[in-house]
Amino acid sequence: MATKLAGGVKGVDHIAYVTWNPAETIHFYRDVLGFPLVHCILAPGWGNEPHPDFAHFFFHVGADAKMAWFYYFGQEKYEDPNVTNLLKKARHLALLVDTAEELEHYKKRLEDAGYPIRHGVPVAHEMIESIYVYDPNGYNLEFSRVLRPITEADTADTELSIEALIEVSQQPEPSLAKVWARKGELLLAQEGA
């Protein structure tokens, strides 16, 4: 459902990443996944700070959204040694498909091209089912399909969960158990018990 938010935002135009190997990145997204390469900017560095010359190229990923890549000329590959494995897995782009067959289609394309699916099988998370893969740059990519729509009950539950989360996360030693306990208190208060 395409809707505009207050202020006029109607969706994502693009997300941008850095690649150190444009040939591998283009092969993965265009040839393996089948995403059309739709635009490329070749530009000298700009701005007030020193900025290298760059190529900025875009793949169409559906729903008028694009995935963009920067390749900076003359820059050595950099990997932040302080990024934990947990953070590396948490940062990801999730792309939506409609059916189990489409999810299987991407799983097969990736595996056939030598890109192992993390966990080996689709993972169900309450409302979606997903597969995960690392792209050639080490970025985590997810393909998901909806298992059920978000309901009014989900939205009401989310309000309680978030209120409890905010309160507990601002206290010493936050924990999931404390969030659940606080959410229970809020639910009881809401029900007048």
Side-chain angles (χ1 to χ4, degrees), residues 112-128:
D112 287 352
Y115 294 95
I117 301 300
R118 291 182 37 233
H119 314 293
V121 296
V123 178
H125 322 270
E126 192 176 319
M127 296 189 312
I128 61 172

Side-chain angles (χ1 to χ4, degrees), residues 105-120:
H105 165 80
Y106 282 107
K107 182 178 181 292
K108 182 169 178 13
R109 284 182 82 138
L110 288 160
E111 289 174 335
D112 287 352
Y115 294 95
I117 301 300
R118 291 182 37 233
H119 314 293

Side-chain angles (χ1 to χ4, degrees), residues 9 22 41 47 67 70 76 81 85-87 92 106 115 129 138 144 158 160 162 165 172 178 182 185 187:
V9 172
I41 300 166
M67 182 179 212
F70 284 101
E76 294 295 318
N85 192 41
L86 181 64
L87 186 56
H92 67 281
Y106 282 107
Y115 294 95
E129 179 180 47
S144 297
T158 295
L160 289 172
I162 295 301
L165 174 64
K178 290 178 183 178
R182 180 62 184 137
E185 293 167 0
L187 184 58

